Amino acid sequence: MLMRRRALLAALALAGVHAAVADPMVDYTLFCMGCHGAQARGVPGKVPPLAGALSRFMRTPQGRDYVLRVPGAANSALSDAQLTAVLNWLAERDAGAGAAPVAPFTVAEVTAARRTPLASVQETRRAVISALAAGGGAAPALDY
Amino acid sequence: MRASALMFTALVYLVAGVPVRAAPPPLQAEQLSVQKLPPPNPHWIYVFDEAFFNEIDARIHLFDGDTYQRLGQIDAGFSPGVNLSPDGATTVVATTYFSRGSRGTRTDVVEFTDNRTLRVTHEIVLPAKRAETVPSLFNVAYSADGHFVYAAYITPAASFGVLDPEHGTVLGEIDTAGCQLVIPSGPNRVSSLCESGRLLTVTLDAQGHEAGRAMSAQFFDTDHDPVFAQGIKSASGYLFVSFLGEVHEVDLSDGQPRFAAPWSLVSPAERGVWRPGGVQLGALQRALGRLYVPMHKGGEGSHKEGGSEIWVFDAGSHRRLARWPVAPLGLAPIVAVQVSQDEAPVLFAATSAADVAVLDARSGRLRHVEKHLGQTPWMMLN
Amino acid sequence: MRSLDRMFEQSSRTLAQRTSRRSLLGALGQLLTGAALLPLLPLARGGRAEAATAQPDVNNPQSCDYWRYCAIDGFLCACCGGSTTSCPPGTVPSPITWIGTCHNPADDRHYMVSYNDCCGKTSCGHCDCNRNEREKPTYRPSRNNDLNWCLANGDDSNYHCSVSVILGVVPPGS
């Protein structure tokens, strides 16, 4: 984790972004935790989980695109750099033991995708999860 | 003989309890009836009472701004959205009931009340997703032609229900991807306010299903000067007032929202010092072009404080015409304003002490204070 | 468990080393379970005893002026049989909420405060308090106190009162 964080900060510096981003745990608390919960499990039927889901979405370009365009991410008050840091911080904790680590988001990737929020979130979520499941490997649960 | 006969007669009358002078006839037996409302007049006002201290028991009080009579009541359940039909004939209430009053199975409904009889005529059961938030014109709303009713949902994901009021059915639900509330914005069009400072506009087909959607340009900055969600009805759309007193006029008469250049309620010296505030924080008298806004002195975080003054603007020239301090009128801070749209307009102002004042909308002269018109009157409709 | 403010003041990477697999967010998962009683900040304990000071109510959990109520909207659970960190008996905490920040004048720090609602009973009706520091309209739900945050509780979504639970310190500069 120490190496990862240094690499992340270095990448951000290279991207020309002010590297003194806020602590991702603080950002998660202030901007995401209210609905997604202290354990990122969401609320059944109401708020989707991030635990057991985020890193799985991140395995494909379609899934990564979805994650960056859901209202909570696309419309969030977090800057691109902060959002990148929070998602990567979450993904790191979500990756399953023994599974290949998912490539972290880059700020450029986040910046590009979140400018066009999704029109139809539920529909897109179902389509993305179906595609992930069909493609083999772990997919997030369809229902929550 | 005659004297004694007279005395005897008087004695008989006395004993019989009949006064010597002729008595008025006794009161007639009465018949219990149900009061019929008088013909509506433009100075009627529907005062929405959140009844926050007994929040499952919200009401709407119908009040006559000419006779100062309370005409009747419409019940409204828990944390409802309320509105009137475009023709004024119906009050629509989107609310929640629990099967045991304060607990038990939750049911969300939209109820329709005939404003001639104040009886609920029918209801539509909704999925239990209704937005339970501050009163606004956009929690539940009719389309301009009365064909659809829209009910805002927050679960916390945002969407809205499209209802057929005539047939009493839910036609469907539209996912608004985080944008909130239901602003009727044209034939078969509904707009929602987005965190990004934009309006999402969804176009529906005749069956109430989505036919298309478009995102407007950004017209306000949520981070630095957000607009109050409670818009003010104008001739062509709505005015949205920001925390710092910028007025954003949105014209919805065309296919897509058009935004006029914002104008300011405050001078540079007043900016950040005097601010709009309250729950229903503005009313526009459309024929006169007069905008009434409760204003208070305060800093960041004071946006829900009631106004210590009502400021009056010419909405065309943007000039401030008057400042009406309310304390000299014996009024507590103003949390809601509404104005009648007739030629002799009256301004209604609800206070944080639950009084509703009736003022002459041109001169500001106080005509009447109705004490405690509800427990927490926070929005007024006409 | 280490006190929360100290935990948040440490760098997140140190915390990450202690994060267990079972709980995605480790110590964060302990928050708001209702099981752990969060320690009161030292100066807040003596709220009533400080009535003689210049701003007595800033430290009084039953006063609307209490520093951590800087963006609360509703009835104070501390007046309704609960406390700033506990729902009154028989009510149900809202699993969703919004989280604001308030400045504690006692130690000049900004704290993250969770404004959960307690649900399933009708309005407490006592100690009504509405403050709105850094609050935003409903279209920014992560900063809004107008919403009935009991809304996701299904049958237990009647609103009773609001708490204000400290989650930790906001690091300077963020």
Side-chain angles (χ1 to χ4, degrees):
Chain A
M1 174 53 189
L2 185 61
M3 294 293 287
R4 263 297 161 85
R5 185 173 167 89
R6 283 188 182 147
L8 172 63
L9 288 173
L12 290 171
L14 280 174
V17 175
H18 188 8
V21 295
D23 192 312
M25 182 163 69
V26 170
D27 282 343
Y28 178 78
T29 304
L30 288 175
F31 294 96
C32 318
M33 193 179 105
C35 286
H36 286 288
Q39 298 187 24
R41 295 212 188 113
V43 176
K46 302 278 165 49
V47 180
L50 302 172
L54 179 60
S55 60
R56 298 178 186 193
F57 279 118
M58 287 169 71
R59 288 195 295 110
T60 65
Q62 187 190 25
R64 295 167 81 87
D65 182 73
Y66 167 75
V67 164
L68 297 176
R69 296 172 66 201
V70 295
N75 295 333
S76 160
L78 291 170
S79 69
D80 295 345
Q82 286 175 294
L83 180 60
T84 306
V86 170
L87 289 172
N88 289 337
W89 179 81
L90 284 165
E92 185 139 12
R93 281 150 183 75
D94 188 41
V102 288
F105 287 114
T106 64
V107 178
E109 190 182 357
V110 170
T111 304
R114 78 186 291 205
R115 289 299 169 269
T116 50
L118 290 170
S120 194
V121 183
Q122 293 302 327
E123 223 175 273
T124 310
R125 177 189 162 84
R126 281 193 292 275
V128 169
I129 290 176
S130 300
L132 280 167
L142 198 60
D143 296 319
Y144 56 85
Chain B
M1 276 301 273
R2 251 167 76 187
S4 63
L6 267 173
M7 277 183 62
F8 176 78
T9 307
L11 188 63
V12 167
Y13 271 67
L14 205 61
V15 166
V18 178
V20 176
R21 278 226 200 121
L27 298 172
Q28 299 290 342
E30 295 166 332
Q31 197 126 45
L32 177 58
S33 66
V34 176
Q35 185 72 43
K36 282 195 173 4
L37 283 171
N41 77 59
H43 294 175
W44 279 14
I45 190 80
Y46 293 79
V47 179
F48 169 64
D49 173 15
E50 178 93 18
F52 186 64
F53 291 80
N54 302 88
E55 210 179 8
I56 59 173
D57 198 11
R59 301 100 181 271
I60 298 168
H61 307 279
L62 178 57
F63 182 73
D64 187 327
D66 279 341
T67 62
Y68 315 130
Q69 294 300 306
R70 301 185 187 212
L71 300 176
Q73 174 177 300
I74 299 169
D75 297 346
F78 174 71
S79 191
V82 301
N83 219 323
L84 298 176
S85 60
D87 62 7
T90 306
T91 295
V92 63
V93 169
T95 191
T96 295
Y97 295 106
F98 301 99
S99 60
R100 289 292 183 272
S102 65
R103 63 177 180 88
T105 307
R106 170 178 167 179
T107 305
D108 288 9
V109 292
V110 169
E111 300 173 329
F112 299 88
T113 294
D114 179 342
N115 286 341
R116 291 302 304 140
T117 62
L118 301 189
R119 297 286 297 168
V120 176
T121 56
H122 62 294
E123 68 175 26
I124 303 174
V125 177
L126 301 176
K129 298 184 169 193
R130 208 179 51 74
E132 296 168 345
T133 183
V134 67
S136 81
L137 299 178
F138 310 133
N139 301 353
V140 66
Y142 274 84
S143 61
D145 60 8
H147 187 58
F148 292 137
V149 167
Y150 311 116
Y153 297 159
I154 298 176
T155 63
S159 60
F160 64 88
V162 183
L163 317 178
D164 178 341
E166 191 191 332
H167 298 105
T169 55
V170 179
L171 297 173
E173 179 179 337
I174 309 289
D175 182 342
T176 49
C179 303
Q180 292 192 350
L181 304 182
V182 287
I183 305 164
S185 53
N188 290 7
R189 282 197 299 273
V190 193
S191 297
S192 303
L193 277 167
C194 306
E195 191 171 352
S196 55
R198 301 165 192 269
L199 277 183
L200 168 72
T201 300
V202 175
T203 305
L204 305 171
D205 63 21
Q207 284 71 46
H209 302 134
E210 179 170 347
R213 62 173 63 197
M215 193 71 89
S216 77
Q218 181 180 9
F219 72 102
F220 68 91
D221 182 341
T222 297
D223 289 318
H224 297 114
D225 190 19
V227 296
F228 290 92
Q230 300 92 305
I232 302 160
K233 190 167 166 56
S234 72
S236 59
Y238 292 94
L239 311 179
F240 289 95
V241 175
S242 80
F243 283 13
L244 289 174
E246 298 294 294
V247 179
H248 299 266
E249 297 190 35
V250 185
D251 185 329
L252 298 171
S253 58
D254 203 335
Q256 46 189 333
R258 282 188 278 120
F259 306 100
W263 56 277
S264 191
L265 299 174
V266 291
S267 69
E270 292 164 341
R271 188 178 170 91
V273 178
W274 282 94
R275 299 171 185 247
V279 181
Q280 186 175 26
L281 39 100
L284 180 67
Q285 214 295 335
R286 297 191 279 278
L288 288 178
R290 294 226 178 143
L291 178 66
Y292 304 84
V293 184
M295 300 289 288
H296 67 278
K297 279 184 96 163
E300 192 282 327
S302 72
H303 46 278
K304 294 181 198 166
E305 277 181 36
S308 57
E309 300 186 1
I310 296 172
W311 288 12
V312 188
F313 296 86
D314 181 316
S317 69
H318 309 160
R319 225 169 28 97
R320 186 173 66 205
L321 302 173
R323 292 170 62 163
W324 298 338
V326 302
L329 304 177
L331 299 174
I334 305 301
V335 298
V337 289
Q338 187 54 277
V339 67
S340 69
Q341 298 298 331
D342 62 308
E343 284 160 12
V346 294
L347 180 73
F348 299 95
T351 79
S352 60
D355 301 331
V356 174
V358 183
L359 300 94
D360 182 302
R362 289 177 198 263
S363 68
R365 185 179 68 83
L366 181 67
R367 290 185 179 175
H368 176 79
V369 178
E370 185 65 19
K371 302 290 289 175
H372 301 138
L373 186 45
Q375 187 189 96
T376 55
W378 285 348
M379 187 173 72
M380 297 178 282
L381 302 169
N382 55 10
Chain C
M1 176 174 103
R2 303 177 74 151
S3 71
L4 280 167
D5 54 348
R6 291 174 62 197
M7 185 178 296
F8 275 72
E9 279 176 304
Q10 293 184 351
S11 73
S12 64
R13 81 181 169 219
T14 313
L15 181 62
Q17 287 165 357
R18 295 200 307 273
T19 299
S20 74
R21 189 71 66 202
R22 274 194 336 220
S23 162
L24 173 70
L25 298 167
L28 251 187
Q30 302 293 327
L31 296 173
L32 308 178
T33 60
L37 283 179
L38 299 173
L40 290 175
L41 297 167
L43 287 176
R45 279 196 195 102
R48 287 212 182 87
E50 291 184 313
T53 63
Q55 280 189 309
D57 283 349
V58 175
N59 289 319
N60 179 358
Q62 295 194 332
S63 166
C64 192
D65 294 330
Y66 189 33
W67 68 268
R68 55 162 110 179
Y69 295 150
C70 77
I72 204 167
D73 180 11
F75 307 108
L76 304 177
C77 289
C79 297
C80 305
S83 71
T84 50
T85 61
S86 63
C87 286
T91 63
V92 178
S94 67
I96 62 168
T97 182
W98 78 285
I99 291 154
T101 58
C102 291
H103 176 252
N104 181 4
D107 64 6
D108 199 28
R109 292 192 180 95
H110 291 263
Y111 286 88
M112 298 184 285
V113 179
S114 184
Y115 290 108
N116 298 66
D117 287 343
C118 300
C119 316
K121 286 183 189 280
T122 195
S123 327
C124 166
H126 197 41
C127 295
D128 182 32
C129 180
N130 185 208
R131 292 165 60 190
N132 298 282
E133 290 183 25
R134 290 172 288 285
E135 193 259 2
K136 292 274 152 66
T138 45
Y139 50 77
R140 173 162 285 175
S142 63
R143 287 293 174 273
N144 179 259
N145 67 18
D146 294 326
L147 284 171
N148 173 20
W149 285 103
C150 296
L151 60 93
N153 275 26
D155 291 346
D156 280 310
S157 57
N158 201 350
Y159 169 72
H160 185 65
C161 62
S162 299
V163 298
S164 62
V165 180
I166 291 170
L167 300 183
V169 178
V170 181
S174 61

